[in-house]
Amino acid sequence: SMQSTPEEKERFLALRNKYENESLSDLVKNSKEFVRIVEHDGELVQKVDPVFLEPEYSNIFDFRAHFFAPKKQFMNRYFDTFWVNITLLWAMSLFLYVALYFEWLRKFLNYFEVIAGRFSKKQNA
C-alpha cells in the first residue's frame, strides 16, 4: 500500500534507506546462506528467510519455535513474539527479585556446603 503511486514509492524508499539496518536484515533473512533448502529426515527445510516461517507445533505443551519466529504458541493460542519476550523478561525479573529478597542463593550454597562437608568426612574416614 505504501508503493501504490510513484510519490509513495519514493517516500517508502527514502524511509527504507534511512531506517533499514543492512546487517540486521541479513541476519534475520539469513541471506548469506549458500544452501537455501536442505533435506532433513526426509523433509525439505528452508534455510533462508526464517523470519517469514510460521512455527510448527506438535502439541499443546510444545513451546519450541525457531529464534526469529513471528509468533509463539501457548496453550493452543498464538501470541506475538514481542509480548511473549516482554512477559518472560518480567517474570524472570520478578523471580530474581523474590530470590534476592528471601536469600535463596545463600541458602542454596549453604545446602551444598553441608553436603560437600559430609561427603569429604566420609572419604577421609
Side-chain angles (χ1 to χ4, degrees):
S1 68
M2 293 181 71
Q3 298 184 33
S4 59
T5 65
E7 294 83 23
E8 287 182 356
K9 184 172 185 174
E10 197 172 305
R11 197 171 126 240
F12 169 76
L13 291 175
L15 283 172
R16 182 174 164 192
N17 288 335
K18 185 175 181 181
Y19 293 109
E20 183 181 36
N21 183 334
E22 192 172 324
S23 296
L24 185 60
S25 177
D26 289 343
L27 174 69
V28 169
K29 293 179 182 177
N30 204 13
S31 60
K32 303 273 188 210
E33 183 71 33
F34 290 114
V35 180
R36 296 186 169 281
I37 298 175
V38 295
E39 183 180 351
H40 179 68
D41 292 335
E43 294 183 12
L44 296 177
V45 179
Q46 177 181 335
K47 298 295 282 183
V48 294
D49 296 332
V51 73
F52 300 116
L53 291 175
E54 295 292 327
E56 296 178 12
Y57 298 105
S58 58
N59 62 39
I60 189 173
F61 297 109
D62 188 7
F63 301 114
R64 296 174 295 144
H66 59 279
F67 186 70
F68 295 115
K71 58 186 176 179
K72 309 280 186 189
Q73 179 188 19
F74 181 69
M75 301 295 284
N76 269 354
R77 291 189 61 206
Y78 288 97
F79 298 96
D80 187 44
T81 298
F82 175 78
W83 293 111
V84 171
N85 292 345
I86 293 293
T87 304
L88 286 174
L89 285 172
W90 274 101
M92 288 188 299
S93 298
L94 183 62
F95 173 78
L96 290 173
Y97 177 79
V98 171
L100 282 172
Y101 183 80
F102 290 108
E103 299 179 354
W104 289 345
L105 180 61
R106 181 182 56 82
K107 292 175 183 178
F108 180 74
L109 292 175
N110 286 341
Y111 175 75
F112 279 107
E113 188 176 303
V114 169
I115 290 175
R118 290 180 189 165
F119 183 71
S120 65
K121 287 180 185 178
K122 288 182 181 180
Q123 281 188 343
N124 292 337

